Structure formats: structure tokens, C-alpha cells
Amino acid sequence: LGGRRRKHATPCTSLTMGFSLWNLFKAGLLFTNSILVLHRKRFLARYGLDDVSNVGINPSPLKTQAVGLLQAVQYLKLPVIAANMIVIVFEILLGGG
């Protein structure tokens, strides 16, 4: 009636961030990058997370696991740099979402 039009909802066909293996890989890489930038002596020493022998007399298992993770990730510097370069190239060539 009148000049009133009914608006139809159109389904969203494109998602900007889908749940895919590529996006999971990028999220893991971002998490690894965030751990790698933590400086052991300046930042982690304040909280006693700089060395396994520094965790105290009776450390909690969670704190010991966190220190182990922080130390293990330090060995991944070169592979993470290579993965960052690969991700950058793919995002430039294929267009990141």
C-alpha cells in the first residue's frame, strides 16, 4: 500500500575472517611472535619467569610449564622469522582478508 517498500534481508555471503587452517596458522604465529618479543631479563625476571631454576622452592606446575614454554619458544626464532616472511608474501600475493 502507499509507496512503502518492504526490505528483504539478504544473506551475508562473504566472511572477513573464516575458521580455516590458514587463519589458525596465522593466529598461532601471532601468539608465538608475542612470546618471542618478551625480553627475559627486562620483563620476565620481574615475575620470576626468566629461568627454570628461578621459579622458587615449591613452584606451581603451571608456572613451571609457563617457564618451559617461554624457554622452548626461544629456539624457534629462525623458523618463526621464515614463517613470518612466507605469510607476508602470501598475504601480498593472494590478498589478505
Side-chain angles (χ1 to χ4, degrees), residues 2 22 26 32 56 66-68 71 81:
W22 177 247
K26 289 192 305 185
T32 308
V67 171
Q71 287 183 347
I81 291 171

Side-chain angles (χ1 to χ4, degrees), residues 14 16 18-19 23-25 30 32-33 57-58 64 66 76 79 82 92:
S14 68
T16 57
F19 187 74
N23 289 331
L24 286 175
F25 174 74
L30 284 172
T32 308
N33 281 325
I57 297 171
N58 206 359
T64 306
L76 295 174
I92 290 172

Side-chain angles (χ1 to χ4, degrees), residues 4-66:
R4 188 175 257 207
R5 286 188 172 165
R6 192 171 180 180
K7 294 183 180 180
H8 295 285
T10 58
C12 181
T13 57
S14 68
L15 295 172
T16 57
M17 181 74 176
F19 187 74
S20 66
L21 289 177
W22 177 247
N23 289 331
L24 286 175
F25 174 74
K26 289 192 305 185
L29 187 62
L30 284 172
F31 179 71
T32 308
N33 281 325
S34 67
I35 292 175
L36 280 173
V37 298
L38 296 175
H39 195 272
R40 287 173 91 183
K41 300 299 178 198
R42 286 187 288 169
F43 179 74
L44 297 175
R46 288 186 207 164
Y47 305 104
L49 297 173
D50 59 334
D51 195 12
V52 176
S53 62
N54 252 2
V55 291
I57 297 171
N58 206 359
S60 70
L62 182 63
K63 188 172 184 178
T64 306
Q65 289 290 323

